[in-house]
Amino acid sequence: VAASDVLLSFHSSSTSKTIDFQNIAGDEEGLKKVFGLAVPAPLETAKNHGVFVLEKSPSTSESKNWGIQYTSKVLQKPPVNEMKAIKNPPCVFHHFAKTQEYESDANNSEDLMAWIDTGVVTFLPHAAKVLRESALIQLRCCTSRGLEDMYSERNNFVELGIEKRQKVSHLESHEQTVSGQSLGEFAQTATLKIDLYSDMLQAMQTGSTSLNHFDSSLRRYLEKRCVDDASENKAQWQWLFSEFSKLKLFTCAIPTGSFFHLGTTWELADFLTIGASHFEEVPEIALRNDTSSHKQRMRSFGNSIGLVRRSGTFISGFPTETSRYSTALNSVLVSKSTGSAIGEGSVIEHSFMNCPNSTIEIGERCLLSGIRMNFNGCSSIHIPSGLCLQMLPLKKSNGKKKSYICICLGVDDPIKDVPVKTIFGMDFQCVLQRSGLTESDIWDEIIPSSRRMLWNAKIHPILHHSSSKGDGSHVDLTYLNWIHELYTQNDIDLKSSSGLKHWKSLRKLSISEIRENVDASAEALHRRSIPSGKFVESRLSEISEILMNRKHEPCNFDFVFDLVSSSSSENMSSISRPLVSQSLRTLDSVAFKAIKEKSYDIAGRVFMTMSLMLSDLATIICIDKKQSNKNELLKLSSDINMESFDLSTLELIVSVRKKVLISYNAQSIFCFCEVLETASSAMTKRCISANKDFCLVHSYSDSKPTILGETVLVSAPARIDLAGGWSDTPPLSYEFGGAVANLAVLVNSKRPLRAKCRLIKGGQGILLRTESKSPIDEQLLESTEVKISTLNDLADFHNPHSDCALLKSALVYLGLVSIDSISQDGSHCIQSYLKKFCRRENVDDLGLEIISCSLLPTGSGMGGSSILGGCVITAIAKCVGILLDCNGDFSNNIIHSVLMLEQLLTTGGGWQDQIGGLVGGLKLGTADVNVIPLQTRVKQFPLAPETKRELNERLVLVFTGKPRLAKNILQNVLRRWARRTNDIMRTLEGLVKGAHDVIESLNGGDVDAIGTCMSEYWQHKKVMAGVDSGVEPDSIKKLLAVLTENNVISGGTLCGAGGGGCLAMLAKKGKSADDVRAFVDKSVVGGILPSFHGFCWHSCEVAEDGIEIQII
C-alpha cells in the first residue's frame, strides 16, 4: 500500500541491494506480518509525519542488504521533544554521515534524525488477506464499490454486478437522488473514516504492545477515537482492532534513503524549482522550511532523480536572468513584449501561451498548469506572486462551445480551514472590504457559516474558448488583473475595477464541484499535443528567413539559452547540446548559401549572430572552469585564411567550432567567438570594396608625378559630428542606410591635420615619419620614424599599433606592393617596387619621404586618424602620379579610399570622419541601404554669414584629458547592432533623423536647435555603445548636467565614439565659449564641479574649405 504524495530515493552505491526477508519469512506466522519502509529524516520533518521507533540500529554496511526488524512503537506526528524523550530504545539518532550510531543523549544537534514513515507499507500474504476481507465485509463502507452496493441495497435495487454499478454511478450527482438522498449524501453518513497509519498500524502488534493485555489495549484504542458504548460504529472499530492486532508490525529501515513529501502546492513548487537547481547560489525564494540544510537536501534529492528545470518546453521572449530560476515542463511560452517575465521559483506545466504581441508577467512562486492562450492581439496578463492557476477543460453538453474551469488560489491558501483566513494569498476580510464582495457572492446560501471554506467557495470562473479573425484562438484571462490590482494597489478601492466586474459576471464553480465536471480525456490530449518541438523548428526557420531576407528583426536564441541556463552540467549533453547543434546547423546553412551567392553582407551578419549566440552560451554555462588551451585554438584557427574567404574557409570554421564545443569550455568558446568576428569583418571588407585586396591600382588612372625635390603639402580641418554618427559605420551603413551631419572646423585657427610627401634623388628606400605637435604653438611633442628597405619592413602595416602603420597601409593601398608579395617575398629589396610605383624606373638612387603631422590630442574624437589618412593618400598620390579624381568626383573617391584604408589597417570605422574634415563647411553624408559595394555621397550646405558668425561665437571645444575609446566601443556597437533589438532599431532611426534635422535647422538659421540636436545625439550614442561601455565618464556626465541646469549651454556631445576625447558644446544664446569656460572655472573653485585634470580649452570655428593641396 503506497501513498502518492511522496518521493523516495535509496542512494545505494550497490546495484544489487535488496530487502532481506530473513527475519520475517520461513513459516506461516511470518506471512501474517506487515512492514513499513523507513528512511532517516530531520526531526523538523519527522514531526509532521509518522515515525517508527526501532528495537535496534540497522546496519549501514553497503555489503549487506536492507534488513527488516521488529518495530518498538509507531508515533503519529510526534512533537520534537517527545521524540527526544523516548529511550530504550531511543527514537532519535545522529545522521549516519556523522556517527552511524544511535545517540540517545544528544538533544540539541542539528544532525538529529528519526526513522520516518515513507508512506509505503507492505502486507505479506496472510496479512493482505485480512486487509482484502475487511474491504468486503466490515469495512466495505470505506470503499467506493462497497458504498455503491450499500446504497443500492437501501434503495431496493436488485440488479447485480457491473450493470448495477453503472446505473448507480449515475446517481453521484447531487441533483440525481433516490429516496431523497444522493449517493454523495449517503456516503457522508455511512462511511467510517479510518486511516492506514493512525488506525490500522496503531492496532498492530509492536514491541510496546502485547495480546496479553488485549482488553486494556482495545479500551485505549477506542477512547482515542471517541468511541463509546452508544456509538453506532463501535462494532466496526472493535472488529478492526481485533483483526489487525493479530498482525505484527516490522520496519525495513534504509539508512541511505531519503524522502520528500509533496502533499501541498507550496511543497511541490519549491521542490520543482530548488530541487532542480544546479547553481552555487540560488535566489532567496521564500521557502516554508527556509533552512540551508533543507535546500541542500532538496537539491541533492533532485539531482539523484535527475530533476531538470526544462523538459519538452519552448520559451522565448522572457529574460533569462529570472526565468532561469523557474521550472517549465511540457509548455510553450512566447512573448515579444519587453514587460514579460517569469518570476523566481515559479512552475509552469502543460501550458500553451503563444502571445507574441502581449505582455505576460508571472510573479514569483506561482504555479501555472494547463493554461491555454494562443493570441496574436495585444493584451496584458499579470499573475501576482504566490498564485496557483490551473485551467482544465469541462465536459461538453448539448453541443455547447468548449469551456474551461480556471482554478485560482494562493499557493499557501488552506483549502479546508474554517473560517477562511486567506484567499488568493491575501487576507480574506481585507479582500472582501476592498472588493465590495460579500460571502453570498462566494458561497451558496444553503452552506452554513460553520462549513464555509475554500473547498466549497464558488470562486473559480468558467471560461469559454473564443477566437477572432487574425488574432488566433484563446481563453481570455484578463479578469485576473483585478487580483493583480489587489496586490499592487494597496490603497485603492477596487469596487469599480473592470477586471472585478468581468469576474463577477462569469459563472463559477467550487473545487468540490470541479472533479465531476472536468473532461480528463481532453486534458490528457492537450498535454500530449503541446508542440514545443514544432516551435523550435519554426523559430529556427524564422531566423533563417530573417537572415536571408535581410530583415531588421532580432535573431533571438533565447529559447536555447533558457534551456541551457536551466540545465545542470550533468544533463547538458543530453538535453541542451542537441538544441545548440540544431541552431548552429541552421546558421551554417544560411552562411553556406550566402557565400555561394556572394551575398557577403548576409554572411557577415550570420558570423556575428553565431558569435553572439556562442558568447551568450559561454557566459551561461561555464561548465569547464579549467584554463582553455588557447595556443591549440590559435593553431587550429591559423589555417583559416580570411582574406581569400570561400566555401572551404567556412568548412574549416565549422570544423574548428566542433572541436571547440567538445568540452564546452567557456574560455575556448570566447576565443572562438573572436575568430567568428574576424570572419564577419572579412565579409564587411568584401562589401566595402569589390577588390578583395583593397588595392587602388586596379581602379585609378595615372597622372603626371611631381618633380624630384618638390614637396606636396596637404592639410585639412578637423570635424565636429553634430548628428548621425554610428549610422556611417559598416555594416550599419549598407544594411540600414546611413546619414551623418557634421561640421569642418579650425582648431585654434589652424588646420590641424597635415601630410607632406616628396621624391628625392640621392636616397634609397622610403622614410616614414609621424609627428604630434601642440595645437597651441605647434611645438613638437612626439615623433616616430621608420625606414623601409625591404618588403618585410611593411609586414606590420595592418597592425594599428605598429610605428607609422597609417603611412605603411597607405602605401599598400595605393599599390606600392601587393599583400601577397609582402608575405611571399619579404626579404626582397623595396627599391625596384619603389621605382615602378613612382614612375622613375630609370632613377636608381630614388628615395621617398612621407611625413604626417597632427595638432590634435591623441584620441580627440575629431576624426584625426581618418582625415589624416585622407591627407596622406592625397599627398602620396599627387607626388607619384596617381589620379584620384579620374571620374571628376574627388570628394567621394577620397572618402571611399580612406574607408578601405581603415579596413586594411583593421581599425574599421565608418566614413563620417573623412567627410567631416576632407569636405569643408556643413554637409550631409549618406549611404544607401543594400547597395554593395558601399557607395557614399556627400552634399555641402553653405551657411548664411550670420549663422556662421553665431556658430563661431557659441561653439565650445574642450579636450577632456582622456583619449576616446573608439576601437573597443566600435566592437560593442557592432555586436549590439547584430542583435537588432527594438531599442537599437529606434536609436538608429533617431540618429538618421537627427542628421536631417541638423541640416534643416542650420539651413533655416536656427542655431539654438543645434544644441538640442547635439544633446539628443549624445543620448543616442550612449544607447548604441551600451550602458556598461564606458562611453560617458562620470566627470563629463556631471559637467553637462551642471551646465545645462544653469542655462550655460544649449547642448553638447563628446566627439566621435565617446569615452573621452574632445567635448563639443553650444553655449546658450547670448553667451560665448569664454563665458562657458569662466563658469566652469568658477564652479570648480566653488566645489560645484570636480577639478578636471588634463582639461584643455580650444577655440574652434567653421572651416569653409576642406582638404587643400600645395606644391612647394
Side-chain angles (χ1 to χ4, degrees), residues 248-323:
K248 292 185 177 181
L249 182 60
F250 286 71
T251 303
C252 177
I254 303 176
T256 57
S258 56
F259 161 101
F260 263 97
H261 181 256
L262 302 178
T264 64
T265 304
W266 63 263
E267 285 178 329
L268 175 65
D270 286 345
F271 180 75
L272 289 176
T273 50
I274 301 300
S277 171
H278 59 274
F279 305 101
E280 292 300 323
E281 293 293 335
V282 217
E284 288 302 315
I285 304 168
L287 286 171
R288 183 70 62 93
N289 194 349
D290 192 17
T291 63
S292 59
S293 61
H294 181 72
K295 290 181 183 179
Q296 186 57 45
R297 285 198 321 114
M298 199 179 290
R299 291 169 63 186
S300 176
F301 192 99
N303 182 65
S304 71
I305 63 174
L307 194 63
V308 296
R309 290 197 166 178
R310 297 292 184 272
S311 179
T313 292
F314 179 91
I315 295 180
S316 179
F318 294 82
T320 57
E321 291 79 6
T322 55
S323 67

Side-chain angles (χ1 to χ4, degrees), residues 143-205:
T143 69
S144 175
R145 177 178 295 183
L147 282 168
E148 289 176 355
D149 289 343
M150 291 169 64
Y151 184 74
S152 299
E153 293 164 5
R154 173 175 171 173
N155 290 281
N156 299 317
F157 279 89
V158 294
E159 295 89 341
L160 300 175
I162 297 176
E163 181 180 357
K164 176 191 69 176
R165 285 192 294 275
Q166 287 177 338
K167 288 188 175 182
V168 176
S169 65
H170 292 298
L171 301 176
E172 290 188 19
S173 69
H174 289 292
E175 292 76 20
Q176 184 74 38
T177 63
V178 177
S179 302
Q181 190 178 40
S182 70
L183 175 60
E185 292 167 338
F186 170 73
Q188 289 290 327
T189 58
T191 299
L192 181 66
K193 296 177 176 59
I194 64 169
D195 179 85
L196 171 67
Y197 310 105
S198 301
D199 300 317
M200 292 185 178
L201 296 191
Q202 291 289 335
M204 295 177 188
Q205 293 182 48

Side-chain angles (χ1 to χ4, degrees), residues 197-219:
Y197 310 105
S198 301
D199 300 317
M200 292 185 178
L201 296 191
Q202 291 289 335
M204 295 177 188
Q205 293 182 48
T206 64
S208 60
T209 61
S210 172
L211 287 181
N212 295 330
H213 302 90
F214 178 85
D215 292 340
S216 59
S217 297
L218 173 60
R219 186 174 58 256

Side-chain angles (χ1 to χ4, degrees), residues 79 331 413 494 837 854 1003 1080:
S331 296
D413 285 347
L494 300 178
F837 179 64
S854 173
N1003 269 344
V1080 172

Side-chain angles (χ1 to χ4, degrees), residues 930-971:
N930 294 332
V931 175
I932 297 173
L934 173 67
Q935 298 294 324
T936 59
R937 295 187 305 278
V938 58
K939 183 177 180 181
Q940 290 179 277
F941 294 87
L943 293 169
E946 58 274 18
T947 301
K948 178 182 175 183
R949 182 169 56 254
E950 187 175 352
L951 277 173
N952 289 340
E953 289 175 356
R954 295 174 62 183
L955 275 175
V956 185
L957 186 67
V958 56
F959 179 61
T960 62
K962 180 181 178 182
R964 60 90 178 93
L965 308 170
K967 177 73 175 179
N968 295 337
I969 294 178
L970 167 64
Q971 204 58 31

Side-chain angles (χ1 to χ4, degrees), residues 1038-1050 1067-1069 1071 1075-1076 1079-1080 1082-1083 1088-1089:
K1038 186 165 187 179
L1039 175 63
L1040 288 173
V1042 169
L1043 293 177
T1044 302
E1045 290 167 2
N1046 288 274
N1047 292 317
V1048 180
I1049 61 171
S1050 295
K1068 206 73 174 177
K1069 192 173 184 66
K1071 296 184 184 296
D1075 295 328
V1076 176
F1079 179 87
V1080 172
K1082 182 180 179 181
S1083 298
I1088 300 174
L1089 287 170

Side-chain angles (χ1 to χ4, degrees), residues 418 447-453:
V418 178
I447 299 177
S449 299
S450 60
R451 291 188 57 208
R452 289 185 175 182
M453 47 188 150

